[in-house]
Amino acid sequence: MSTTSRKMKFYNLRDLDKIPQILRLPKDLIFQMKVVSNILPFRANNYVIEDLINWDNIPNDPIFQLTFMQPKMLDPHHFNTMAETLISNATEKEINQVANKIRLELNPHPSGQLSSNVPSINDEPVEGVQHKYKQTCLVFPSQGQTCFSYCTFCFRWPQFIGIKELKFATEKTKKFISYIKEHKEITDILITGGDPMIMNAKTLSAYIDPFLEPEFEHIKNIRIGTKALTYWPYRFTTDKDHEEILKLFEKVSTAKKQLAFMSHINHWKETAHPEVEKAIKNIKSTGAQIRTQTPLLKHINNSPEVWIKMWNEQTRLGMIPYYMFVERDTGPKAYFEVPLVEAFDIYQNAYKNVSGLARTARGPSMSADPGKVVVDGITEINGEKVFVLSFLQAREPDHSKKPFFAKYDEKATWLNHLKPAFGQEKFFFEK
Ligand SMILES: *Cc1c(COP(=O)(O)O)cnc(C)c1O
Ligand code: SF4
């Protein structure tokens, strides 16, 4: 076991000028980064800055793109509005007003997230959970709504800025626990955020322990959605409470349930670090299973070679590739989006070049309002070029895995761009 611990240090917008690696960049780039970071949230920690980013490859380094705001992440109109505000020496309050106005124009809650997925007890909403798919209930602990670093593309960005109406988290009485107790169809709890691993062991256990009790026999899997493994691996190796964390995971296995560690990873560079290998060993030694999920992003991982190496490495390290996601329709989507045609091509090219053990990731998948829609293929039927699609998860459970067809469209990047094929007026799920 490793003995040297590392102290975490966060950098946010105000500290941008204090990061030595940033100070070496051109002044106008630093200003542009500030313009964008006044609207979309910026945070990075010392491990990401010192160990993950290759500062000799700026701006192309994928982890730099993943962590530091780039000028083109805003459209020119929004960018100029904020740039002028900053140049005019506006007060902090004025800057915030301009920022909030722009934020609301960036589709802060895509796919009806706030309205349609929140369950209720006696017509009262159950705060901080989403129950969209029968078997799985998402829990957003109020103490876990921040992260070890913020990803520039993240669809959860409204969670990190100060607009209260855009936030989403559990409340004190934890009403969600009674909701889950009554809903026996739920087999999986997915603790998410933000990043639940930002919580200390004691706080996290308050979200796990109740489900190990006999009245929660229907809960078989407890998932933790996190990026800690690659943004702060010390969480599982040397942090003060790391042994408590590992014991908590072990307790889940002992209760004959699976602790499913859902690790968000964007690039193979993130696992190429000795501390991450140690963390993986420790997590797996508790009986937990590690699965990985990755959004496909321009400027970060839009080539089959990156996916081949990433899936191969993950598999070698004993992790199970689980999802390839299409970038959601929110925030800086235009900067990161990859057309569905290209997304499928990258998926297929990576898939055919890895062993069966690494062919476990489903995708490319869009988390849209009616469900998770996967592009199964592109083909020609009766002379018409089409996308073959299906639901991996559907709000309406019967819709799962029913194939459907959309007109081929080279530019489409999301479900709402697609038109039904074969002269149909609507997709079957729209009736
Ligand atoms: C993706 C997702 C899940 C989990 O789906 P799985 O296919 O079981 O991993 C659950 N709820 C919501 C709202 C989701 O978007
Ligand atoms: S770690 Fe996850 S929730 Fe946090 S910023 Fe990155 S993608 Fe978003």
Side-chain angles (χ1 to χ4, degrees):
M1 214 171 68
S2 137
T3 46
T4 44
S5 62
R6 189 164 181 176
K7 201 168 171 343
M8 185 157 52
K9 205 170 155 198
F10 283 132
Y11 296 88
N12 59 27
L13 173 60
R14 275 191 199 83
D15 314 311
L16 205 55
D17 287 326
K18 295 177 200 141
I19 303 172
Q21 291 89 339
I22 291 293
L23 290 176
R24 281 182 241 124
L25 300 178
K27 286 240 156 22
D28 53 337
L29 177 60
I30 302 178
F31 175 73
Q32 290 164 346
M33 286 161 69
K34 282 185 187 166
V35 170
V36 185
S37 308
N38 266 288
I39 294 160
L40 297 165
F42 163 73
R43 163 186 264 191
N45 72 48
N46 48 328
Y47 169 79
V48 173
I49 293 171
E50 292 160 19
D51 289 34
L52 286 189
I53 295 174
N54 174 5
W55 291 95
D56 294 329
N57 183 26
I58 302 302
N60 296 329
D61 180 79
I63 314 298
F64 178 71
Q65 292 280 334
L66 178 64
T67 321
F68 286 90
M69 293 299 171
Q70 306 300 311
K72 297 217 164 72
M73 287 178 186
L74 288 180
D75 78 35
H77 167 67
H78 288 150
F79 183 93
N80 292 335
T81 306
M82 182 50 84
E84 282 157 22
T85 308
L86 294 185
I87 292 167
S88 74
N89 282 323
T91 63
E92 198 154 317
K93 196 171 159 209
E94 287 162 340
I95 295 173
N96 249 319
Q97 278 168 351
V98 173
N100 284 346
K101 195 161 168 285
I102 295 174
R103 286 163 180 162
L104 291 172
E105 290 170 20
L106 297 175
N107 193 19
H109 280 292
S111 307
Q113 265 201 78
L114 271 195
S115 50
S116 40
N117 301 330
V118 179
S120 47
I121 303 179
N122 305 328
D123 291 336
E124 293 276 324
V126 183
E127 278 176 49
V129 300
Q130 291 182 8
H131 188 195
K132 179 173 180 180
Y133 307 128
K134 194 174 160 193
Q135 296 88 355
T136 303
C137 186
L138 270 53
V139 177
F140 295 74
S142 51
Q143 303 95 328
Q145 295 313 310
T146 182
C147 303
F148 294 87
S149 283
Y150 291 150
C151 308
T152 43
F153 69 87
C154 180
F155 71 92
R156 299 264 162 84
W157 61 272
Q159 302 279 99
F160 312 135
I161 54 177
I163 313 180
K164 198 161 176 275
E165 300 77 68
L166 296 183
K167 286 201 179 169
F168 199 90
T170 51
E171 33 68 82
K172 271 216 179 69
T173 67
K174 300 205 178 139
K175 197 157 64 176
F176 72 93
I177 294 183
S178 346
Y179 174 82
I180 292 168
K181 196 189 305 190
E182 284 160 28
H183 285 261
K184 305 289 185 210
E185 76 277 18
I186 301 174
T187 58
D188 288 34
I189 307 293
L190 169 48
I191 305 170
T192 180
D195 195 324
M197 291 313 309
I198 205 97
M199 296 188 278
N200 63 32
K202 191 162 167 274
T203 311
L204 177 61
S205 69
Y207 288 89
I208 291 183
D209 283 344
F211 301 113
L212 308 182
E213 298 298 323
E215 66 265 35
F216 287 95
E217 212 206 313
H218 57 297
I219 302 302
K220 311 293 184 196
N221 307 300
I222 297 174
R223 309 191 201 181
I224 298 179
T226 177
K227 199 161 169 57
L229 178 63
T230 63
Y231 265 4
W232 191 255
Y234 306 94
R235 199 76 202 87
F236 313 98
T237 56
T238 61
D239 273 7
K240 214 167 63 207
D241 63 346
H242 82 276
E243 282 179 358
E244 266 176 274
I245 293 277
L246 296 172
K247 279 206 187 94
L248 176 64
F249 290 2
E250 203 172 320
K251 205 155 91 179
V252 176
S253 300
T254 308
K256 299 204 191 316
K257 298 177 198 271
Q258 177 177 197
L259 189 291
F261 190 96
M262 312 301 287
S263 188
H264 163 208
I265 298 179
N266 301 88
H267 199 278
W268 54 261
K269 282 186 71 174
E270 290 172 73
T271 52
H273 193 289
E275 202 67 25
V276 175
E277 295 210 16
K278 280 183 213 160
I280 293 169
K281 278 214 174 89
N282 287 355
I283 294 166
K284 286 177 60 84
S285 75
T286 67
Q289 191 69 268
I290 306 176
R291 288 179 179 75
T292 65
Q293 38 199 28
T294 308
L296 172 61
L297 303 158
K298 194 159 86 187
H299 303 290
I300 293 179
N301 60 22
N302 58 329
S303 84
E305 290 72 34
V306 173
W307 288 79
I308 292 167
K309 189 158 174 181
M310 185 165 61
W311 284 344
N312 278 338
E313 274 303 283
Q314 290 173 359
T315 304
R316 180 183 70 81
L317 291 162
M319 303 190 278
I320 305 168
Y322 185 63
Y323 263 128
M324 173 199 267
F325 286 121
V326 179
E327 166 66 352
R328 287 212 188 189
D329 50 344
T330 175
K333 169 166 167 80
Y335 185 79
F336 290 111
E337 70 188 353
V338 175
L340 295 173
V341 172
E342 196 183 323
F344 181 73
D345 186 63
I346 291 171
Y347 180 84
Q348 194 195 18
N349 264 301
Y351 187 91
K352 74 179 183 198
N353 281 300
V354 297
S355 111
L357 291 181
R359 293 186 183 192
T360 46
R362 293 167 297 162
S365 165
M366 293 172 269
S367 285
D369 186 50
K372 280 185 167 64
V373 175
V374 67
V375 180
D376 286 315
I378 294 171
T379 191
E380 220 176 274
I381 298 177
N382 292 337
E384 186 174 338
K385 205 165 179 189
V386 294
F387 285 108
V388 185
L389 305 153
S390 66
F391 285 100
L392 293 173
Q393 287 288 358
R395 192 184 286 289
E396 184 54 62
D398 285 347
H399 292 169
S400 298
K401 276 321 250 181
K402 273 193 192 169
F404 63 101
F405 303 90
K407 276 189 191 146
Y408 182 81
D409 179 343
E410 240 161 44
K411 293 208 184 78
T413 60
W414 196 254
L415 185 62
N416 64 354
H417 302 154
L418 296 179
K419 301 268 177 305
F422 314 129
Q424 301 278 306
E425 250 170 46
K426 288 179 168 180
F427 290 117
F428 81 95
F429 56 89
E430 290 176 319
K431 278 169 197 146

